């Protein structure tokens, strides 16, 4: 995406934090917007630091800010979504992994297996993908109800599918018959 390299763990300081400030250029943001199926991406910035947790583990904390251009799923009009989220990852040297096809998810989904490098840019892309609304909707816009039926038939509405809707009508009918 850009020329921000991954940080080699062996080069990180155990005694002081390693800061990063990632601001991709417009070409990188265009490529990322395409990858994430966005109409566009503006003002993307990821800042933070990496600290030693103990002798072998590392802790990344940061703040992700971005402006995503999306399409409203109700009106199909362009819209802007502002994202400002804190990001936290733990890189653990002693994390257990499994080759089994099905594995229990760890309680902390911010923990990752420590490799030879820590890539804040990859963390930024992952955090952005998770923070972007999958079904963006303009403020105040409601989907409403669509009703379809065959000609000559009475349409079935959402309220007709409720399990106790018929009971209320039956109760009203019984009261009238008394």
């Amino acid at each position: 995406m850009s020329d921000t390299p991954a940080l080699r763990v062996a080069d990180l300081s155990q005694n002081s934090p390693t800061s990063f400030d990632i601001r991709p250029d417009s070409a990188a943001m265009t490529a990322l917007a395409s990858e994430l199926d966005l109409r566009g991406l503006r003002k993307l910035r990821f800042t933070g630091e990496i600290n030693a947790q103990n002798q072998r583990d590392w802790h990344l904390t940061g703040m992700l800010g971005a402006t995503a251009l999306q399409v409203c799923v109700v009106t199909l009009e362009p819209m802007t979504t502002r994202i400002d989220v804190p990001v936290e990852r733990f890189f653990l040297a002693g994390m257990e992994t499994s080759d089994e096809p099905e594995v229990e998810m760890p309680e902390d989904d911010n923990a990752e297996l420590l490799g030879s490098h820590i890539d804040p840019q990859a963390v930024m892309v992952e955090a952005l993908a998770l923070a972007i609304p999958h079904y963006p909707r303009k403020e105040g816009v409601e989907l409403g109800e669509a009703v379809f039926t065959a000609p000559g038939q009475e349409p079935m509405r959402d309220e007709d599918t409720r399990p106790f809707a018929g009971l209320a009508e039956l109760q009203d009918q019984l009261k009238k018959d008394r």
Side-chain angles (χ1 to χ4, degrees), residues 9-152:
V9 173
D11 295 338
L12 296 175
S13 171
Q14 283 279 337
N15 302 320
S16 60
T18 302
S19 298
F20 58 87
D21 187 352
I22 302 173
R23 299 178 199 198
D25 60 18
S26 62
M29 286 194 295
T30 300
L32 184 55
S34 175
E35 181 181 328
L36 297 176
D37 199 25
L38 300 172
R39 291 191 68 173
L41 195 56
R42 297 189 306 225
K43 300 180 185 177
L44 177 58
R45 183 176 185 190
F46 184 44
T47 61
E49 59 186 29
I50 302 170
N51 291 292
Q53 266 311 94
N54 52 39
Q55 295 294 342
R56 299 174 31 183
D57 299 333
W58 296 89
H59 183 215
L60 179 147
T61 55
M63 191 66 184
L64 174 67
T67 301
L69 306 175
Q70 297 181 280
V71 175
C72 174
V73 295
V74 177
T75 65
L76 301 178
E77 294 175 7
M79 63 177 283
T80 303
T81 304
R82 181 67 196 162
I83 298 166
D84 289 299
V85 293
V87 177
E88 180 178 51
R89 294 290 185 282
F90 295 95
F91 295 91
L92 309 175
M95 187 172 176
E96 293 182 25
T97 60
S98 174
D99 292 335
E100 295 295 321
E102 291 186 23
V103 227
E104 188 89 18
M105 288 296 295
E107 284 185 34
D108 187 0
D109 60 356
N110 290 326
E112 297 183 24
L113 180 62
L114 178 65
S116 62
H117 290 76
I118 295 177
D119 189 353
Q121 187 163 294
V123 173
M124 174 190 71
V125 172
E126 178 184 287
L128 180 61
L130 292 172
I132 292 173
H134 295 294
Y135 301 101
R137 189 181 330 183
K138 283 190 163 188
E139 197 170 314
V141 174
E142 292 295 323
L143 183 57
E145 179 182 27
V147 180
F148 303 98
T149 189

Side-chain angles (χ1 to χ4, degrees), residues 166-178:
L167 290 177
E169 290 176 23
L170 183 60
Q171 190 175 24
D172 290 342
Q173 186 66 35
L174 287 173
K175 286 180 183 176
K176 287 180 186 177
D177 290 344
R178 287 188 183 172

